[in-house]
Amino acid sequence: MFKKVPALALCLLVACGAEAWGASRPAVMQSPAKDGAYVLELPGLVNGEKHVTISGAEKTIYDGIVLRKTRIKSDGTIVIPPAGVYTTVRCGNWKPFDNEKIYVGPTPFYYINQRSARTVLHDQVFQLGEVKPMNPNKTRGWELASISTDTYMMPGAMAATFKLVKTTGNYYGSTFDVTVGPIASNDGANGKADAAKPYEKAGFYPITGSDFSDTNIMTTNVAAGGRTYVIVDEITPETVKVREMGTDSCTDAWISPSEPLIASYAKGDKFTIGKASVEVTNVTADSVSIRLTEDGKSVDKTFGPYNDKTKAKLFMSEKTRDTFWILSPSGKEIVFLNVNSPTSPIADGKASLVAYKDVIDVQDGTEWPLDPRFVARPET
């Protein structure tokens, strides 16, 4: 018997077993056992497959199946709790528009693009070791991993470390370290460290030469990395008071099982992808305009301008990226400017375009369309 559970995607999870849904504690954000058995190779799983992306990046793909928090009953039945089994694929960070190959179970797909949302929490008090869900589906969380009461051997100076817990129970690579105290300065967060020039010139200075050198321990109540941050107001031996914390999570990931069509087109050229027809209506030095028609419905879009300003933000800014791709009315086709081309995507009156058919929008917390026993969670 199979039952739907929260699952990691482009990893997927499912719960199975003979027990009722509520009989087992969900395994979301629970780590697999450290002494669990490892099976290095299973038929149908990918182990070390090589793949080269549009930009020329060389990737090595591995996938696997993980069971966690399971138990064996006296009659030999294996009981898997909700979210206790998931598939996972590891091939490094995925770059939008770069035809990254991934596997969901035994099926190969190509990652195209994604949407994200930021969850922000205010005025939270964490107990040591506590995990607080940080997204609406409560499948990822903030963990107060440690508190130090002897920071720098200075009275009242305390430090804390936060971690982000994935759906799988694994941690993201970065930790978030904060320090507060009456003597330890907050110059690492308040701008003074960046603005101040305590020394007139570079050199070798005795620590006793100034109060700045002798007593200033440059700490910070703000920890940040990428799109994730924590701002702390107070640390005690048992708790941490957080003013604000935030991080992003993926809400949609567009993928396709079909290899893309990649070609260069001039004004007036036409091509077909899936059930959609595409006409190139204009090409300029830094843009290309197309008309996509499907089932009698047409959508016009100009990709660009493609210049130094947009290139600088392209792969981190979804707003900028939106100016370079289009989704068909049915959601089954995607076309975009080939921004990962090793050469310029617009040259000699032609534009290099990439087009996919059979597109799937993997939405966080929805049924996996190829097998409704699974629930998908697009997550890094």
Side-chain angles (χ1 to χ4, degrees):
M1 179 173 66
F2 292 83
K3 293 186 180 291
K4 299 173 187 175
V5 297
L8 182 67
L10 297 166
C11 300
L12 304 168
L13 295 106
V14 68
C16 60
E19 295 192 343
W21 168 256
S24 300
R25 179 171 178 253
V28 171
M29 294 190 288
Q30 301 292 311
S31 297
K34 289 182 169 50
D35 59 352
Y38 287 83
V39 180
L40 296 181
E41 292 187 16
L42 284 175
L45 296 184
V46 176
N47 190 8
E49 180 179 311
K50 304 295 183 181
H51 174 68
V52 179
T53 69
I54 292 175
S55 65
E58 297 180 358
K59 295 297 187 81
T60 303
I61 307 170
Y62 298 87
D63 75 343
I65 299 173
V66 179
L67 279 78
R68 55 182 171 174
K69 304 301 177 183
T70 60
R71 61 188 178 87
I72 302 176
K73 297 174 67 176
S74 59
D75 62 0
T77 302
I78 299 175
V79 179
I80 303 175
V85 57
Y86 63 86
T87 70
T88 179
V89 59
R90 303 298 297 173
C91 56
N93 291 328
W94 301 335
K95 186 179 183 182
F97 300 154
D98 206 19
N99 198 43
E100 299 261 8
K101 189 176 184 180
I102 62 173
Y103 280 83
V104 181
T107 308
F109 290 89
Y110 297 92
Y111 162 75
I112 306 169
N113 196 14
Q114 70 181 57
R115 274 275 192 273
S116 301
R118 176 166 298 173
T119 302
V120 177
L121 303 179
H122 281 171
D123 302 323
Q124 301 290 316
V125 177
F126 280 78
Q127 303 291 325
L128 179 60
E130 182 181 7
V131 177
K132 288 183 182 286
M134 49 66 58
N135 63 335
N137 291 317
K138 298 183 178 180
T139 55
R140 300 168 67 208
W142 284 102
E143 178 182 323
L144 176 55
S146 67
I147 293 176
S148 171
T149 59
D150 191 30
T151 304
Y152 303 115
M153 298 169 286
M154 299 174 72
M158 295 190 183
T161 297
F162 285 90
K163 294 181 179 180
L164 273 176
V165 187
K166 300 183 182 184
T167 304
T168 57
N170 298 319
Y171 294 104
Y172 284 89
S174 300
T175 59
F176 300 86
D177 303 310
V178 288
T179 303
V180 298
I183 300 178
S185 82
N186 198 35
D187 288 356
N190 60 20
K192 290 183 180 179
D194 185 46
K197 293 183 178 179
Y199 302 104
E200 292 298 324
K201 59 182 180 179
F204 185 76
Y205 294 89
I207 291 297
T208 57
S210 72
D211 272 351
F212 182 88
S213 305
D214 190 41
T215 63
N216 184 276
I217 302 297
M218 202 169 297
T219 63
T220 174
N221 72 326
V222 178
R227 296 177 183 269
T228 302
Y229 64 94
V230 180
I231 306 172
V232 166
D233 282 331
E234 181 183 56
I235 302 175
T236 75
E238 294 84 24
T239 64
V240 175
K241 183 178 179 181
V242 175
R243 183 192 315 169
E244 181 175 313
M245 60 201 327
T247 189
D248 292 1
S249 57
C250 185
T251 59
D252 298 77
W254 286 275
I255 62 175
S256 172
S258 303
E259 293 193 22
L261 171 66
I262 305 175
S264 292
Y265 303 93
K267 181 179 179 179
D269 288 345
K270 299 178 181 180
F271 65 91
T272 299
I273 185 71
K275 296 182 178 180
S277 62
V278 179
E279 178 185 1
V280 177
T281 56
N282 196 26
V283 178
T284 70
D286 62 1
S287 70
V288 55
S289 300
I290 69 167
R291 174 170 294 143
L292 185 151
T293 303
E294 182 185 49
D295 296 331
K297 299 177 181 179
S298 295
V299 183
D300 293 290
K301 182 71 177 277
T302 296
F303 301 147
Y306 184 71
N307 53 33
D308 290 342
K309 182 179 179 180
T310 55
K311 284 189 285 185
K313 297 180 178 180
L314 184 59
F315 298 112
M316 287 302 295
S317 167
E318 293 181 8
K319 183 177 180 180
T320 299
R321 207 155 62 238
D322 277 353
T323 63
F324 292 97
W325 73 295
I326 189 173
L327 186 67
S328 68
S330 71
K332 295 297 183 182
E333 294 85 21
I334 282 178
V335 181
F336 57 84
L337 182 67
N338 189 7
V339 293
N340 281 300
S341 172
T343 59
S344 176
I346 303 175
D348 302 324
K350 290 187 175 183
S352 177
L353 300 178
V354 182
Y356 289 88
K357 63 180 180 179
D358 304 321
V359 172
I360 300 171
D361 179 4
V362 182
Q363 297 181 341
D364 186 36
T366 61
E367 290 182 350
W368 175 238
L370 276 65
D371 190 335
R373 295 173 299 178
F374 292 81
V375 172
R377 296 214 179 278
E379 183 176 279
T380 55

